[in-house]
Amino acid sequence: MSVNPDAPTQITSFDWVPDFARGFVRDLRPRWACEEMGRDYCEKLISATQRPADHYLDQPWGQVPVLRDGEIQLFESGAILLHLAEQDERLLPSDPQERATVLSWLFAAYNSVEPMLFELGNVDIFSAGEEWAKLRRPGLIEFIRGRLSRLADALGDNPYLAGEFSVADIAMATVLREAVEAGLIAEQPRLAAYLERCTARPAFGRALAAQLASFSDEPVAA
């Protein structure tokens, strides 16, 4: 595993989250990228229930991850993935068109797919039982199905979004995992196979294990 307390690359993560969120917190994304790159990183664990006041100076909404990479600090998992991928051609090729294709899919994961799945999480988890959520869910599910169908068509028989595995697949696979429980991925055999292919990568397994190992059984006081 690449977690090394002496590493100059630091990923800020939560020290506890509810069971439903374990394995899905967005620090999984830079962890996965670091594992693909063979880069050691250290963890800065903070409380999710009593977030330190100074953390809001690093991340305005108190979210994770935040990355410190030597002299560079940035937040938002997409920006972090791009920063890391620019340092490794295995994640972001130098060929202009190949790079453009990867970047297109990276932004597509965050702009064209994730927002609807984020809303589904709100409907199914955070607002479950509320009348507006019950009314919203059928239309939202149909809209997501349309997005996933178009994604499956675009993927076709390619193993990964841009041909070879790239940072775009880290983004898209972690987004698609959020649709598994609702049964929406199983409806799309190409996407199911794609997601299985991505998450079968050893680097993903190491990243997931590292995130899960960072959580305590109960919330830790700040």
Side-chain angles (χ1 to χ4, degrees):
M1 289 170 58
S2 293
V3 178
N4 177 352
D6 298 319
T9 300
Q10 180 190 81
I11 299 174
T12 300
S13 314
F14 290 137
D15 59 17
W16 176 90
V17 293
D19 288 346
F20 72 83
R22 296 187 175 214
F24 293 89
V25 186
R26 290 187 176 102
D27 61 278
L28 181 64
R29 295 164 179 176
R31 289 177 186 269
W32 186 356
C34 284
E35 293 289 355
E36 293 283 354
M37 298 166 69
R39 170 177 292 193
D40 287 353
Y41 63 92
C42 64
E43 300 168 315
K44 179 183 178 182
L45 301 180
I46 65 170
S47 172
T49 57
Q50 301 180 53
R51 301 177 196 190
D54 61 358
H55 180 59
Y56 289 90
L57 301 177
D58 298 334
Q59 216 291 351
W61 299 277
Q63 299 168 322
V64 297
V66 171
L67 181 80
R68 286 189 176 88
D69 185 16
E71 299 296 320
I72 302 297
Q73 177 176 309
L74 65 164
F75 64 95
E76 288 294 333
S77 64
I80 292 170
L81 285 185
L82 180 55
H83 169 78
L84 292 172
E86 286 180 330
Q87 302 173 42
D88 194 321
E89 284 197 27
R90 291 172 295 180
L91 295 180
L92 184 61
S94 59
D95 175 82
Q97 183 55 62
E98 292 176 1
R99 176 185 172 88
T101 301
V102 169
L103 291 179
S104 295
W105 280 116
L106 175 64
F107 281 86
Y110 290 125
N111 292 332
S112 297
V113 182
E114 186 170 45
M116 282 62 67
L117 295 179
F118 183 85
E119 185 179 357
L120 182 62
N122 188 24
V123 165
D124 283 353
I125 299 173
F126 301 107
S127 300
E130 294 189 22
E131 189 61 26
W132 76 264
K134 296 175 184 178
L135 295 172
R136 173 61 178 142
R137 194 177 194 278
L140 177 60
I141 289 291
E142 287 308 305
F143 186 82
I144 294 172
R145 282 180 172 139
R147 284 292 165 111
L148 294 183
S149 177
R150 296 296 297 169
L151 175 59
D153 289 346
L155 178 66
D157 295 325
N158 296 319
Y160 298 109
L161 293 171
E164 299 295 329
F165 183 83
S166 71
V167 69
D169 299 297
I170 294 177
M172 189 66 78
T174 51
V175 166
L176 293 180
R177 288 178 72 233
E178 299 172 11
V180 170
E181 188 171 345
L184 295 169
I185 300 302
E187 295 176 356
Q188 298 287 342
R190 281 177 173 167
L191 295 187
Y194 164 75
L195 184 56
E196 182 177 358
R197 192 157 47 245
C198 290
T199 56
R201 295 179 69 86
F204 172 80
R206 293 192 297 270
L208 180 61
Q211 184 187 80
L212 295 176
S214 71
F215 295 133
S216 61
D217 293 333
E218 300 291 339
V220 178

